[in-house]
Amino acid sequence: MCHIRSPALNERARRQCPMPNTHGFSSRFSLHAVNGKLLTVTFAMNWFARRIHRYEQRRWKTDDNRLVRPFAWGLEHIGGPAEHPNPADFLREYAQRAIQNSQEWYGTSPATDYRLDAENVLTFTSSIESPWPENNTVHAQFFPARTRGSAVLILPNWNAKWHGQSGLGEWLQRIGISALKMSLPYHDRRMAPGHERADQLVGPNIGLTLQANRQAVQDARRCLRWLEQQGFSRLGILGTSIGSSVGYITLVHDPAVRAGGFFHVSTYFADVVSQGMTTMHVWESLREHVTVDELREYWAPVSPMPYVERGLGAGKNAFMVYGKYDPTFLPALTEQMLAALRRYNPHPRTLALHCGHYSLELPPFSHIAGYRMLTFLRSALAQ
């Protein structure tokens, strides 16, 4: 089995990155080859959008450990036979059943072995047993406030490090809201041996990606049960990027969650993977075996959009922040998501900033987004 570290892919992806459609300046960029034909598109970009895009590319290039891993159906990770004669049919039927019975598919009981150590690190056993023992113990960092009324579960971005987004927990702590920051499956202390990135949570193994994202939601719900055991009755979720996807699905399936705050939002898992800049190496492996439409169907259970279209979570408070020049969660996909939400909630709370995916962390965007998000959560979780 060959795992290729591909600087050539990174260079090609930089040249072919999809660009936001803004106004004021005309530049020519090439997109992915589709069915053997190279598409070229002319976008209008103003000077500020170009500057943001250059920053997004520079940040993307700093990660030189992306691997183009081999494609796999991965049915063994979702209860199917590894050598099924028609894996596409199996996945299609499995996904349909999972969505129809999502309350059971995402259901879990509280853990029986919660342990909070002297450094406020919570550990417990995940409800899903993956092939990697390291991944089966959940780690979460607790930021206790003085009072025990409200608490927020923080779900970080893809490939976040252990101390990533600790600042959010500290900010929440300062305004009187306790926070619990959970490591997503296959991240930092849960990382599989031989891996530098969480390739199982977003990767070309279709069944494993389904299992890992289902595990993320169930782990999040076990975190919420622990917070309830500690006396917290007003619960919220704060998710970033893939943490936003996991967080939204948790929000709509867990009745205890009052409110959700999300940095970066999109529709279907497959659309982000196939169109986004940061997942081009994943799509490079998938595109020879499945179409976007097929992958959208297979990964629908771990996508926010099907639950929006079913009206789940219509009565929950949610605040969504996104970048107008985001090359990872494309603005067109975000608008589709918001349009679907508006069909069930005529006034969803949103904040669109003139930034991208990585650049949301820069001031003034980070200050504006952070202030608005904390204000929202404090209000939504008030008595």
Side-chain angles (χ1 to χ4, degrees):
M1 182 178 296
C2 180
H3 297 165
I4 304 172
R5 189 181 299 268
S6 180
L9 170 65
N10 281 355
E11 179 59 33
R12 182 167 68 255
R14 286 196 291 273
R15 294 196 305 268
Q16 297 176 353
C17 174
M19 300 291 292
N21 190 2
T22 56
H23 300 283
F25 181 84
S26 180
S27 298
R28 192 172 182 83
F29 296 89
S30 61
L31 299 179
H32 296 289
V34 178
N35 295 328
K37 298 179 180 179
L38 185 64
L39 302 181
T40 58
V41 180
T42 299
F43 288 104
M45 291 181 61
N46 61 35
W47 71 270
F48 190 74
R50 298 200 314 276
R51 186 173 181 180
I52 291 295
H53 178 74
R54 285 195 296 269
Y55 176 82
E56 296 286 314
Q57 283 194 322
R58 285 197 304 271
R59 277 296 313 276
W60 179 59
K61 289 190 292 185
T62 60
D63 294 330
D64 61 355
N65 60 351
R66 295 182 181 89
L67 303 181
V68 180
R69 296 190 177 273
F71 169 84
W73 292 105
L75 303 189
E76 67 275 16
H77 297 288
I78 53 175
E83 301 299 329
H84 193 281
N86 196 328
D89 284 348
F90 182 95
L91 277 165
R92 189 173 297 108
E93 293 173 5
Y94 179 88
Q96 290 173 354
R97 289 195 306 270
I99 291 175
Q100 291 168 2
N101 303 286
S102 62
Q103 293 290 354
E104 292 78 15
W105 198 65
Y106 281 122
T108 186
S109 59
T112 59
D113 59 348
Y114 293 118
R115 180 178 178 272
L116 185 68
D117 68 16
E119 296 181 347
N120 278 329
V121 175
L122 176 70
T123 57
F124 60 88
T125 301
S126 177
S127 56
I128 289 181
E129 184 177 356
S130 72
W132 292 271
E134 294 82 0
N135 179 55
N136 297 334
T137 297
V138 182
H139 297 257
Q141 188 175 7
F142 185 46
F143 300 86
R146 294 181 179 179
T147 60
R148 292 267 171 149
S150 57
V152 169
L153 176 63
I154 300 174
L155 301 172
N157 54 288
W158 188 33
N159 293 304
K161 306 302 182 185
W162 171 249
H163 293 292
Q165 297 201 340
S166 292
L168 289 176
E170 293 166 355
W171 290 347
L172 286 163
Q173 192 178 40
R174 291 192 191 104
I175 65 172
I177 300 176
S178 295
L180 183 65
K181 180 174 67 68
M182 185 188 91
S183 291
L184 295 174
Y186 302 100
H187 282 68
D188 50 77
R189 299 181 181 188
R190 307 179 64 179
M191 188 165 289
H195 286 257
E196 298 178 15
R197 299 172 59 87
D199 298 314
Q200 299 84 357
L201 191 66
V202 184
N205 186 315
I206 296 176
L208 180 55
T209 297
L210 277 168
Q211 183 200 60
N213 282 267
R214 182 189 185 192
Q215 184 178 30
V217 174
Q218 291 190 6
D219 291 347
R221 298 189 73 179
R222 283 198 162 185
C223 283
L224 293 168
R225 301 292 78 79
W226 179 80
L227 289 169
E228 287 178 323
Q229 291 177 13
Q230 308 313 302
F232 296 101
S233 57
R234 302 188 299 276
L235 300 178
I237 285 180
L238 176 56
T240 301
S241 196
I242 195 169
S244 174
S245 174
V246 172
Y248 184 83
I249 295 171
T250 305
L251 171 78
V252 302
H253 285 90
D254 199 302
V257 182
R258 286 192 181 187
F262 307 109
F263 295 117
H264 311 298
V265 293
S266 195
T267 52
Y268 286 93
F269 208 97
D271 291 270
V272 173
V273 168
S274 62
Q275 299 181 44
M277 178 177 70
T278 60
T279 50
M280 297 182 88
H281 63 293
V282 179
W283 180 239
E284 182 77 5
S285 182
L286 286 163
R287 61 194 294 271
E288 300 298 328
H289 303 274
V290 295
T291 66
V292 176
D293 289 340
E294 290 168 339
L295 192 61
R296 187 183 300 120
E297 191 172 12
Y298 303 153
W299 280 346
V302 296
S303 303
M305 194 66 158
Y307 308 109
V308 175
E309 293 172 336
R310 283 170 53 188
L312 296 184
K316 300 279 184 95
N317 288 322
F319 179 47
M320 301 184 175
V321 179
Y322 63 98
K324 292 185 176 183
Y325 310 132
D326 191 336
T328 296
F329 280 31
L330 300 189
L333 298 178
T334 301
E335 289 300 329
Q336 290 176 25
M337 176 74 168
L338 296 179
L341 282 167
R342 291 185 185 106
R343 289 197 288 270
Y344 299 97
N345 180 358
H347 302 291
R349 302 183 191 186
T350 63
L351 173 62
L353 296 172
H354 292 271
C355 64
H357 207 80
Y358 294 114
S359 47
L360 181 61
E361 69 186 10
L362 299 177
F365 312 118
S366 59
H367 297 162
I368 297 169
Y371 174 78
R372 290 284 301 274
M373 184 63 72
L374 294 178
T375 300
F376 162 76
L377 290 170
R378 183 166 53 185
S379 174
L381 299 178
Q383 289 183 345

